[in-house]
Amino acid sequence: MDLRDLQYFEVIAELEHMGRASERLHRTQPALTSCVRRLEEACGAALFEKTGRGIKLTAAGHALLRWAQRTRLDVESARREIGDIGRGLSGHVKLGIVPTAAQFLLPPVARDLIAEAPEVTLKTHVGLVDVLTPLLRSGDIDLMVGTEGARESGFASQYLAEDLIVVAASAGHPVFDRPRPALKDLARWRWVLQPPGAPTRDWLDQTFDRHNLPRPVVQVESTMLLMLPALIGETGLLSFISRLHLQAGRSGAALREVGIPATTMRRRLVATWRDTGYVSPAAQRLMALLARHASHETPA
């Protein structure tokens, strides 16, 4: 099979339309039809079937697509590894990172990486793990820094640090009028939280469920994690955020932890990469710096 045919096949499979694939690839439709025909002859099976005005993959087409994607990633890894030989610590790293790690870890890590290896370039994509994981699998990012979840085939991970998620409020919130607030006391107040489905929100809701208490009453819902500290400070609402935000001078707002053991969520921060992919020297150094700074940033 020709590598270029496989590259064209990936685009046709993604768009499910010969005309749109022709426009993206700047190739004629007859040329792409010939590409598909060559692959079908090599595989001995039909790869597409017509549907409405477009086309869709057959079962054989889906199988070939998986191998075509793997082949593309292997070729790219080989090219990068060979190019890195003799060049020292240089190259380009594509990093996916969750918002909290991006805010607290990325700036000092980038500073140290640039100081050590001025020729390394870094492209970051900030998002939640469910958004970053498909990017890692497809090769759009080389490395993902996020919270540990269920093990997935095709990935390897390295532990970085533990991140604690706690209930927080502005320093003058009435919840602190009691020397030792209890979980049931939190039901009196309103909250600013992420929407249902976010791991921290679901964990908090389930904590109240387990104690037979009503779930938090959410007055402000936000998908923007980086906005939560400012919203807590301005609105006087309770929230559920990383303890990192409570360190002096970090959030721009005077926030305090509502210290209730039942509402302390522990999660592991890990660096993840494709287990069959090439991890460049620059990416390896980036991981080492992430581990070093993560251990300093996350107090027990």
Side-chain angles (χ1 to χ4, degrees), residues 8-167:
Y8 292 167
F9 168 73
E10 275 197 73
V11 175
I12 298 168
E14 175 193 346
L15 299 177
E16 296 185 328
H17 195 280
M18 279 292 189
R20 290 195 288 270
S22 174
E23 292 175 4
R24 178 183 292 187
L25 293 168
H26 306 292
R27 295 291 184 270
T28 65
Q29 290 191 47
L32 296 184
T33 300
S34 297
C35 157
V36 172
R37 188 176 298 117
R38 286 192 295 271
L39 291 173
E40 289 179 332
E41 289 174 356
C43 294
L47 301 176
F48 293 98
E49 59 186 3
K50 291 185 178 180
T51 171
R53 296 184 178 181
I55 54 177
K56 68 177 183 179
L57 289 170
T58 62
H62 281 291
L64 180 62
L65 180 59
R66 290 194 300 273
W67 285 101
Q69 291 169 334
R70 184 180 301 179
T71 299
R72 171 174 54 82
L73 293 174
D74 286 345
V75 169
E76 290 175 358
S77 293
R79 184 181 296 118
R80 292 176 64 186
E81 183 171 0
I82 293 167
D84 283 340
I85 294 174
R87 276 208 312 244
L89 202 55
S90 63
H92 184 61
V93 182
K94 296 173 290 184
L95 173 69
I97 188 166
V98 294
T100 300
Q103 182 175 1
F104 296 110
L105 290 182
L106 187 57
V109 166
R111 176 198 65 209
D112 289 357
L113 182 65
I114 291 169
E116 290 184 22
E119 299 306 313
V120 171
T121 57
L122 182 63
K123 180 179 181 180
T124 62
H125 187 116
V126 180
L128 299 181
V129 169
D130 61 344
V131 173
L132 298 177
T133 300
L135 298 179
L136 182 61
R137 193 174 293 281
S138 66
D140 291 315
I141 57 177
D142 305 314
L143 189 67
M144 176 176 73
V145 175
T147 49
E148 185 178 47
R151 285 188 175 274
E152 291 192 43
S153 62
F155 293 144
S157 295
Q158 173 185 321
Y159 170 77
L160 297 177
E162 186 177 66
D163 185 24
L164 300 182
I165 313 302
V166 298
V167 176

